[in-house]
Every structure is written in structure tokens, then in C-alpha cells.
Amino acid sequence: MLKDITIGQYFPGDTIVHKLDPRVKILITFVFIISLFFINKFYPYLLVLGFILTVIKLSKVPFKYVFKGLKPLRFIIIITFFINAFMTKGVELFSIGPLTVSEEGLYQAIFMALRLIFLIMGTSLLTLTTSPISLTDGIEKLLNPLKIIGLPAHELAMMMTIALRFIPTLLEETDKIMKAQMARGADFESGNILNRAKNLVPLLVPLFVNSFRRADELAMAMEARCYRGGEHRTRLNEIKMDKIDFIVITIMTIFFGILISTRYI
Amino acid sequence: MMIKIENLSYVYNPESPFETKALDNINLEVEKGDFVGLIGHTGSGKSTLVQHLNGLIRPTEGRIIIDGIDITKKETKLRAIRQEVGLVFQYPEYQLFEETVYKDIAFGPKNLGLNETEVDSRVKKAMELVGLDFEKIKDRSPFELSGGQKRRVAIAGVVAMNPKVLILDEPTAGLDPKGRDEILGEIQNLYEKENMTIILVSHSMEDIAKLVNKIVVMHKGKIAMEGAPREIFKNQERLEDLGLGIPQVTYFMKKYKSEGHSVSDDILTIDEAKEELLNYLRRRDNA
Amino acid sequence: MSNTMINIENLTYKYSTIDEKSFTALKNVNLTVDSGEFLVILGHNGSGKSTLAKLMNALLLPTSGNVFVNGMDTKDEEKLWDIRQTAGMVFQNPDNQLVATIVEEDVAFGPENQGVDPREIRKRVDKSLEIVEMSEYKNHAPHLLSGGQKQRIAIAGVLAMNPKCIILDEPTAMLDPIGRKEVMKTIKKLNKEENKTIVHITHYMEEAVEADRIVVMEKGEIVMQGTPKEVFSKVKEMKEIGLDVPQVTELAYELRKEGIDLPTDILTVEELVMAL
């Protein structure tokens, strides 16, 4: 059933990784991704692997959860690997038919695959250890300075929250409408692409109509609860930096400094 | 025999930590011309059961035979099942999608592969049966109708498939008393004039008592009680244990009897109570 | 402070439809709701009862006439947020009024908007969840709760704003009997124990039986009002409008027509047993 799909795969816990300020976690993830692309030798990846394993250990998230994030993206990783392997020109290693694999290509392919794998694991760790709410709070706070150039930080965060709140509701509704139309003989499973697209009309129209109705009612309910945008708003759980956050920032700055500098040694 | 359910079980999310047995060895028979009231509180398995009857869910175990056709066999065409059994979901008006009322009601019959003239007569008849004026509203958008009318259009959309068995999952939810009485009147009409076998899922014991000739009570995926309304409503305590109740007027007659008045408590409606009480009071006054 | 919570004077409200025709939803309505009162507004769909509720919360403004909430005119824009804080509102569809992905965050939404200090919000959230008996669910996701539980969360969300009055617009219409009982129990508790003025809008007559006063609406007008006993004794009028009365009330009415001597104000099984 559709509603069994889990979105925002948060793995609740009470560890140091969970308790870290979301802003710090988002920034670390961001810098982590950038530094992945700076690395051009193999041994720094051992450091990265060590880092990932340490975080997993500290967060007490079962290893298979972190690994699960790779599964839906395995084709992208494989395709990236082969494209890099075949498309990079250099000293020929071997060839299969018209396709040639060069030494540089093989290196490049392995680098890209490793980068992708670590990138996915890193971001998975962020969402696994940060609840959707603190994630949105963190993004809102980080984007706040950009308000000066007109970026609606609060509104974006509010949209994210509402989207997260309504995804399960809409999935459930999709399931129900599908069944109701199937009871009237609708067929969502056979025919060519064109027919299938056409057959979705009885599903999509009610879904849209109902979503607009929901949006309307939600807006009314929010207004009744004195919602008037981000100005003067306080929060139940204000996020604030602790001593531990500053310690983590210091350690991470050194770590990423070393990681990035390996490129130039 | 219209419906025969044999050893039906259904498990959600089998072999996962979320495994739940929604239906547990259900055996049930519904005769042609029965008007069945299906009751039980939310989560008792009512919805899962009725979705099985329409082939929307395949059973984990067991068989369902409708009018001689085993609908649980893989070979059975879904189209054949849908011609046998029509299912009206809760809040069916949220599934309307066409530009006009006519097109929306015609959706089902068209999916059955009927020709234009047959579709046309089906739509006309279905609208008439649910009390909608064909000429007046057939070209209107279903989205601009009132709540009660929308719901009728949605019910007509299923009725137009001309099923032998019509299942309605809480067709009066959210309607006011007037709207409720109108819809129930139309269901009664379908039962009497069109000879449809009806299964009505409802939370209202008063409505059930007024309409049905057989009650099936579900609890935790099993059939807890089954029988004629008079039989079922005698077991006030059992029903209350299951989070259900009996009609207020039945409750009153039981209470009145227990106070030492020699009246029958085998009463389901206000009219029956009135007659019984008048007889009793007049007997008493004459004595 | 006066004893009046809501005062409605000669209120008329017209909707304008797409084709520029206007539809009069409320016609010259006059109504006062006293502080601490439990008022039920009965009426069927389209009788104007939901429109009336939205006018009490300044979600809609009168076409003509006045609505005062605790002495504040709803047309006074400067008082808008005070009015919404004084008269909180709970809506029909439990799914479409919860904003956050965690129960306690949702309850906090109102006070957050009011700019209340975080420590005070925490206190209010915990207290509100306790009153609606949902404390153990504070870290749950709302979509996994039952309809009755969701509605109680919505009520807690309003309570956390510290309102004097709570307006409930058909909060039970989409619930099953168990959910309806839970919500009704909560509403009664708010009135009796928390001293909140309650305006409860419904078309279920069994929910009106325990009110202090019932107002019956039909076609945008108040057609009847009084105590439950006064209103339900008018069985014929109620049936004509298309509303229910308790089965025993109807039975007593039918018996009276046959010449049996019974009081007109029977509402409960016990009363009828005693009277016969």
C-alpha cells in the first residue's frame, strides 16, 4: 500500500549526533559534500570512511539504515561508474568492442562512485539523525540572513513543514481514490503509456480538487490561530548553540581542513 | 445464495514488524434479497471485508463466491466482479472528476464496455433511482452541486453499473438528518424496487434497526455476532462490550420492562414502541 | 468586564457568487452568548450556522450589523488578533487544521504566532495536552492518530492560546461514535472545569441535550431558542425543519397525541420511565 512508504526517514535517538544543533549538522554535511569533490587521492577516502563510521557509531543508527539510502540510487552509481570509465581519454588499459577503458578513466570512475556513495551516506545520516522539524528550523535559521536580498526564509520553511505534514495524508487519499475508481472499473495498470496517462485523469482531478479544498481550510485554520507570517514569531523549541556545538565545529574545521589540503600536498 | 465467504483471512504487511491480521477466518453467507447491516467500531475489519467483496483486495487465505462465481480465483476477470458487486466508499463525493454529472455517472458503465444507448439508459435510470432530476442537472458540473447532491451523483455512478450486490460504506457520514433520511430512503428504494442485495456499513444503530433484516457485528477482524436485528439487539451488554449500543427506544423498552411493567422489549422502532405501549397502558387502565 | 462574551446585533451576511449574484447566508441575526455558557447551535447544512461561527472569529466580517467579542468590534482591524485569541476556533475536518508533523509542535503553533516566550509555550502545551488527555501522544505524528484524537489535538492547540471562548464548527461531523464521545467529553470538561465559554455547532441532537441553551437556525435565521427541554418539546417544528429529537422525546410526543397524559419536556430514557 502507498501509505506504507516512509518519508523523511528519521531514526529517533538521544545521542550526541541527534542533539547537535541542526544548523551545525547542515553546514557539516554541506562542507562534507564539497570536500568530497576536492579529494583527488585514495588515502583521504580512508579518512572519510573513518569519519562516516564514527558518526554511525556515535548516532547508534543501525548500519543497514544508512546503507538502505544507497539502494534506490544504485543504478545512478553504476551508470556514473561506467560513463566515467569509458568516456575518459588516456592510456588504454583494455577495450571491449568499440569501448575503451583507460587508466585515467578507471581512476575517475572509482573516484566518482566513491564520491556518490559517501555523498548519499552523509546526507542519509543527516536526515536519519535530524527530525524533519529541526531540519526545517535549521534551514530557516541558516537562510535568515538572505532575507536582506528578499529570500522568504520563513515562508520556505513553513512550506516544507506543511508539505511534510500532508504527504502521508495525500498518499492515503491517493490510495482511497484509486480504489474507488477501480471499483467503477477504472484500470490503472494496463495499456500503453498514452492510455495510462489518460487513465490517470480520474485519479488526478479529484486529488487536485481535494488538495485545493484542504489548502483553503488549512489557511483558514492557520489564520484563526493567529498566523501572520514569520514576524514576531517565537518557537516552542528554540534552537541554540551549546558548548558541544562549538567543540564539534572546531574539530570539524580541522578535519575538513586536512581533507581538502590533501589535494595540494 | 448470493455471497458465500469461506475461511477468509487477510494479513496486512505479512512477515514484517507491522504485520496485522485484519480479517481472521471469516465465514459468512448472504442470501439473495438480504439487506445486511454491517456494524463494528473503526478498525474492526469492516472496510477490509467489503473491499474483498469487490476484488480490490485479494485474500491471504480463503474463498469468496458471489452468485456462483469464485471471485478470489486468479482467472476471474475483475470486470465480471464489478458487475456483480458495486461498492460505494465513504465520502464518495470526493472521487467525482468529470466535467458534467452525466459523464461522471457514465464512467462506470463505459468501463464495462457498454454501447452509447445502453450507457445513456443506465445513467438516466441511476439518476432517477437516487432522486436526481436528469434533465435539470445532467449537464451541470458535479463540483458546483450541494453536498447531498454530490453524494447522490457518486452513488448513482456505482448504481449505473447495475450490480446485483450494492455495498455502501457509511453512506450518510457527515450529512445532516434530512440528507441522511433522503439517502436512506433511496437505498431502501434500491432494495425494494431493484431487488438489489444490500450491505450497509453504519455506525447508527437507529438506522440499522429501521432498515435491515440481518446484522453482522465485527470485532477485531472476526464476526462477533450474526442474526436478525431483534436477536442482535437483545444482547445489549455484549454490544456495549464491543463498543456499540442499541437504539435508544429499544433501551427504553428494556428499562421500562425491568421496572416491572409487562411489555415486550422486542422493539426496534418508535412505531413499534408506540403500539406496544398503547396496548399495555389501555390494558392497565381497563383492569 | 461585562457578563457577555459574544454580542451579535442585526447581523446580515451576504456571499457573492461567481456570477455576481449575492446569496444571503444570514438575515438580521441577534444573539448574545454569556460568559461561561455552553451554547449549541443546531441547524442543517446550509442553514448559516458555519457562517455565523466564522463571523464570531473575525474570519468573516458582517455585511451589515455588528459582532462584538468580549466587547471588541470584529470590524476593528487593530483588535483582530485579540479577538482571535479570545475566541478560538476548532473546525470540522481533523486533517485540515493540524499544521505540524509532531503533536506538541502543532499545539504550540498558536502561542508561537502570538510571540509567547518559549518557556511559557512549553507550560501551555503541556497543560493543554493534559486537559484533552493526549499527553502521552505529544511526540506522535498527527496522521497516525484516530479522528477523535486529532480533534482533541486541535482543541489543545486552541487551548494553548488561552482563549476565553471556544467556537467549535461541527467538530464531530466526520467522527465515528467513539471519537464523537471523546470530543464531547472534552468539550464538556472545558466548559465545566476550565470555565471556557463554548459555542458548539452541530447537527447531532444528542450533543445538544446537555447544553445550557440551544439556538436553532434555518435559512439564515434563528427560528427557535431556549433550554434543551424547551426546544426539543417542539417535536413537530423540529421535524419540519429536518432535525432530529431524541427517540424517547418523539415516543412521548406520539403517545401524547394518542391521549396519554405525559409532560412535554421528556429528554431521557429515565424521565420517560418515571413519567409512564
Side-chain angles (χ1 to χ4, degrees), chain B residues 12 25-27 70 97 106 120 125 193 225 228 240:
Chain B
Y12 275 112
N25 198 25
I26 302 273
N27 284 285
D70 184 348
F97 70 99
D120 193 64
K125 187 157 179 221
K193 299 213 177 105
M225 297 161 87
E240 279 168 1

Side-chain angles (χ1 to χ4, degrees), chain B residues 221-240:
Chain B
K222 291 185 182 175
I223 292 182
M225 297 161 87
E226 188 187 340
R230 280 174 211 287
E231 298 305 312
I232 299 291
F233 285 131
K234 272 181 189 157
N235 304 295
Q236 182 193 343
E237 279 174 18
R238 180 83 209 282
L239 284 166
E240 279 168 1

